[in-house]
Amino acid sequence: MAESTIDRSAIDGLRADFRARLAAVATDRDLKTLDDDFLSRRSGSVTSLLKGLATIPAGTRREVGQLVNALKAEIESAMADKRASIESARPPADAVDVTLPGREIPVGRVHPLMRVREQVEDIFARMGYEILEGPEVEDDYHNFEALNMPPDHPARDMQDTLYLGVPIAGGTWGAHTGRVPDAQVRAATLLRTHTSAMQIRYMKTFPPPVRIIVPGRVYRRDNLDLSHTPMFQQFEGLVVGSGITLADLKGTFEAMLRELFGDVRVRLRPSFFPYTEPSAEIDISCRSCRGAGCGTCKHTGWIEILGSGMVHPAVFEAVGYDPEDVTGFAFGMGMERVAMLKYGVDDIRLFYENDLRFLEQFPPL
């Protein structure tokens, strides 16, 4: 390196350049870039000056070397001060920047099925009903036979669900083939097909009067499609006492369904259930067309909402009640069906897919 390139004016020019660039440094990255440009071992400006001292005549080398070393020390000191300044201005890791706009706090939502359940429970609680829950794994006797459905009853075909096993020789459990004795069938365990089994357990424990509803999950042999699912939410109810009539059933559901759906008409339509006699499907007037007829109600003006009826005497006899002294009515309704009608949902599978795009359409808590 020529002597003319390392003199006091060159060193002063480098100092002025450094100070100008240091004043513009605002971040750690800026400071790192400045450090590389001036002090890097390979290509730093000050480092190049130090390497060039070997080419300077011996008479001036000492003086120039002192000036270059003084510049290096000055730059290192200024860099350290700047680094400390940046560090002191940096907020702590757990600091809160009060100048930022507030963050939206996610608000939870009640699942539409649970919203319907809470509404139904609230309505019946105000009517004086007791709310019960029962086991989801039931035995055949409470789930079918005590409800007037013996082993060969055809009504079982529509409800057959997952059997968990029947007792076989040696006291073990397992699948069976061929005819199984009735005593073993009664002891078989299965996933309950309705919550009516809890009605049997309650009546076997408590004398009349009875006024209960039993919500919970049930399981059936339905294929998964737009309106059916093998597992669904249901609530069933039971009223037993002296002088209970079909008029009490209709009045109860006129009050309940109008509170649940608004101003709708209610009708009873003859049907059949093994555990009630007489039996009735309860319909409400279509909310979409107000009974005029549309695609939703298949142009009938009515939509089926639940099944009901007067408790069959055979059910009372199974639990030790005297059908000559008491009467009662029972009913059952799927919560998914209520939610679909209430919220205009046309695919039951949406309730179980946990898709936030669907669930967030319902109001928050």
Side-chain angles (χ1 to χ4, degrees):
M1 182 176 291
E3 179 181 355
S4 60
T5 61
I6 307 179
D7 55 18
R8 183 179 296 274
S9 61
I11 295 173
D12 290 340
L14 197 60
R15 178 181 289 109
D17 181 38
F18 169 77
R19 290 176 176 173
R21 292 186 58 184
L22 181 66
V25 169
T27 66
D28 290 329
R29 177 174 293 183
D30 296 340
L31 193 64
K32 178 67 168 59
T33 300
L34 188 63
D35 184 271
D36 290 341
D37 290 345
F38 283 86
L39 300 178
S40 172
R41 291 185 179 181
R42 290 187 177 182
S43 59
S45 300
V46 176
T47 305
S48 297
L49 289 179
L50 291 172
K51 290 180 179 179
L53 291 176
T55 64
I56 299 176
T60 59
R61 186 181 302 166
R62 178 182 179 87
E63 178 184 357
V64 173
Q66 290 177 344
L67 293 175
V68 173
N69 282 319
L71 174 62
K72 180 181 179 183
E74 180 182 335
I75 289 176
E76 289 176 340
S77 176
M79 294 275 286
D81 291 343
K82 191 66 174 181
R83 186 175 291 107
S85 176
I86 293 175
E87 191 69 29
S88 63
R90 183 180 294 119
D94 57 349
V96 176
D97 187 348
V98 295
T99 65
L100 293 175
R103 297 177 182 175
E104 182 179 356
I105 300 176
V107 179
R109 285 168 167 77
V110 177
H111 193 280
L113 295 182
M114 292 301 100
R115 188 183 299 271
V116 168
R117 174 169 175 165
E118 291 175 358
Q119 291 173 338
V120 170
E121 289 182 354
D122 179 66
I123 292 170
F124 280 106
R126 285 185 277 116
M127 291 182 179
Y129 283 68
E130 184 178 356
I131 301 170
L132 305 177
E133 292 190 7
E136 293 184 24
V137 176
E138 267 293 356
D139 58 63
D140 185 277
Y141 175 76
H142 289 90
N143 194 80
F144 287 128
E145 191 167 342
L147 290 163
N148 201 31
M149 286 185 283
D152 295 325
H153 198 288
R156 291 185 178 221
D157 293 339
M158 297 183 294
Q159 297 190 17
D160 268 348
T161 180
L162 295 175
Y163 285 83
L164 306 182
V166 296
I168 59 178
T172 59
W173 291 76
H176 66 274
T177 58
R179 177 66 181 173
V180 178
D182 288 349
Q184 287 187 329
V185 172
R186 294 179 66 181
T189 56
L190 67 155
L191 297 179
R192 66 182 179 186
T193 63
H194 45 200
T195 60
S196 300
M198 191 59 191
Q199 299 177 13
I200 299 298
R201 294 184 178 276
Y202 188 90
M203 287 190 288
K204 288 172 66 176
T205 305
F206 300 98
V210 174
R211 189 177 294 182
I212 61 173
I213 63 167
V214 188
R217 286 187 293 265
V218 298
Y219 306 83
R220 296 193 182 176
R221 55 178 302 179
D222 291 330
N223 294 320
L224 186 63
D225 56 30
L226 292 175
S227 57
H228 297 86
T229 176
M231 186 281 293
F232 59 96
Q233 303 282 334
Q234 183 190 51
F235 78 87
E236 299 209 6
L238 174 70
V239 175
V240 179
S242 178
I244 302 296
T245 68
L246 202 61
D248 297 310
L249 183 155
K250 184 177 181 182
T252 297
F253 282 99
E254 283 181 342
M256 190 276 284
L257 292 171
R258 285 172 182 168
E259 183 163 351
L260 198 59
F261 291 104
D263 186 18
V264 294
R265 289 178 292 134
V266 178
R267 77 173 184 182
L268 273 63
R269 178 167 43 85
S271 186
F272 169 78
F273 302 107
Y275 30 83
T276 55
E277 180 61 38
S279 303
E281 300 282 1
I282 297 182
D283 302 333
I284 61 172
S285 56
C286 180
R287 302 173 70 209
S288 299
C289 64
R290 296 188 175 276
C294 66
T296 301
C297 60
K298 299 180 181 178
H299 302 284
T300 65
W302 297 93
I303 294 179
E304 177 186 327
I305 192 68
L306 63 91
S308 64
M310 302 301 293
V311 180
H312 198 291
V315 176
F316 284 146
E317 291 173 356
V319 298
Y321 284 12
D322 187 349
E324 297 296 326
D325 292 339
V326 296
T327 56
F329 63 83
F331 52 88
M333 182 165 70
M335 294 183 193
E336 286 84 351
R337 183 162 183 79
V338 175
M340 291 174 75
L341 293 173
K342 190 173 179 66
Y343 302 122
V345 178
D346 57 6
D347 189 340
I348 196 172
R349 294 170 293 189
L350 291 172
F351 294 125
Y352 295 102
E353 291 179 347
N354 296 324
D355 190 333
L356 291 180
R357 294 172 299 177
F358 169 72
L359 297 176
E360 287 179 348
Q361 297 180 50
F362 296 90
L365 291 170

